[in-house]
């Protein structure tokens, strides 16, 4: 398992990786930003030489939340870059690899929008379209690997978090709750087993209590 990030590996993250290695995983960490075309191409070429690259999961994301009237213009490339440029760099760098899958992690914000997240919502909506375009290239024989955009809700553990007031509002107004990790893995399995290029995941009381809902197209 090769993990990448824009920052050097700190002590906290290193401890997490060491714990996974004790469970039998072989993990390599590479400090390279996903939108760094040269760095990503060099990494993928090295993986090909070392035995091949079999799948890609693009999970990068940056938040700079603010209402659009107050949002500094320099925030836009910071948020859009990892999603849009990052997916493009990964796709171009891996176009000659014999992949089994190419998965991009999006957000409900891309499907429904979200106040204060115009740039983040746009970036994730773009990923949904990217998955459809890459799937078309796959059918033409220009790419390999199942293409999937997974639009995630808020997860209960890890990732991007919100305050308690926002959580209360989500549950009261929409019946939504943060997604448990186990349910998230089940959703991932269901999505990969489907023929969809875009899968949207919800968790909460509606329409089925404490179960996830998967809608795909």
């Amino acid at each position: 398992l090769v993990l990448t990030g824009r920052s050097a590996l700190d002590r906290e993250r290193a401890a997490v990786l060491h714990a996974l290695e004790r469970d039998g995983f072989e993990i390599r960490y590479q400090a390279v930003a996903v939108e760094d075309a040269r760095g990503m191409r060099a990494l993928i070429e090295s993986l090909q030489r070392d035995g091949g690259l079999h799948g890609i999961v693009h999970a990068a994301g940056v938040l700079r939340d603010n209402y659009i009237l107050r949002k500094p213009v320099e925030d836009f490339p910071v948020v859009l870059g990892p999603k849009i440029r990052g997916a493009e760099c990964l796709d171009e760098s891996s176009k000659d690899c014999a992949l089994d899958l190419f998965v991009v992690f999006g957000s409900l914000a891309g499907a429904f929008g979200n106040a204060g997240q115009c740039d983040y919502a746009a970036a994730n909506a773009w990923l949904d379209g990217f998955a459809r375009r890459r799937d078309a290239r796959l059918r033409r024989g220009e790419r390999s690997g199942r293409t999937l955009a997974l639009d995630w809700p808020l997860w209960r553990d890890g990732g991007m978090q919100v305050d308690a007031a926002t959580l209360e509002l989500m549950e009261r107004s929409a019946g939504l709750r943060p997604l448990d990790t186990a349910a998230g893995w089940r959703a991932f399995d269901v999505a990969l087993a489907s023929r969809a290029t875009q899968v949207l995941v919800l968790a909460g009381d509606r329409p089925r209590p404490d179960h996830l809902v998967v809608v795909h197209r």
Side-chain angles (χ1 to χ4, degrees):
L1 177 63
V2 179
L3 303 177
T4 69
R6 66 180 61 248
S7 304
L9 191 63
D10 60 24
R11 182 176 300 178
E12 181 179 355
R13 292 184 176 90
V16 173
L17 300 190
H18 290 156
L20 291 173
E21 289 173 335
R22 287 195 297 272
D23 289 336
F25 290 91
E26 183 178 344
I27 300 176
R28 169 182 170 185
Y29 181 84
Q30 186 76 32
V32 56
V34 68
E35 65 268 37
D36 176 359
R38 180 178 298 179
M40 195 55 62
R41 184 167 55 251
L43 173 61
I44 289 177
E45 288 174 353
S46 73
L47 295 176
Q48 288 290 85
R49 291 192 299 269
D50 291 343
L53 177 64
H54 306 291
I56 291 175
V57 177
H58 173 9
V62 174
L63 291 177
R64 291 290 188 273
D65 291 355
N66 207 339
Y67 289 106
I68 191 168
L69 293 176
R70 298 197 296 267
K71 179 175 286 291
V73 68
E74 56 268 21
D75 282 358
F76 284 89
V78 174
V79 176
L80 298 176
K83 295 285 187 182
I84 296 177
R85 180 61 179 158
E88 289 178 336
C89 287
L90 284 171
D91 183 48
E92 180 64 25
S93 299
S94 64
K95 64 182 180 181
D96 297 322
C97 299
L99 299 177
D100 296 322
L101 55 87
F102 192 114
V103 180
V104 292
F105 282 0
S107 167
L108 297 188
F112 301 126
N114 196 30
Q117 290 189 326
C118 60
D119 44 7
Y120 186 70
N124 284 288
W126 184 93
L127 284 180
D128 296 334
F130 165 83
R132 291 190 290 273
R133 292 190 297 274
R134 191 182 187 281
D135 185 64
R137 288 179 169 179
L138 175 67
R139 293 195 300 271
R140 295 195 299 266
E142 299 170 3
R143 295 292 190 273
S144 65
R146 159 109 166 81
T147 311
L148 172 66
L150 256 172
D151 295 339
W152 293 112
L154 180 70
W155 283 59
R156 187 176 303 280
D157 300 312
M160 299 172 176
Q161 294 296 315
V162 298
D163 56 31
T166 302
L167 288 175
E168 183 182 356
L169 178 63
M170 285 171 49
E171 185 169 357
R172 186 175 67 251
S173 63
L176 298 177
R177 294 178 181 173
L179 182 66
D180 289 329
T181 300
W185 282 118
R186 292 199 301 274
F188 199 10
D189 288 341
V190 169
L192 286 175
S194 76
R195 295 183 178 181
T197 56
Q198 180 186 358
V199 175
L200 184 149
V201 182
L202 301 174
D205 294 331
R206 303 174 187 175
R208 292 177 293 178
D210 298 321
H211 283 70
L212 57 90
V213 180
V214 180
V215 180
H216 46 85
R217 67 185 185 200

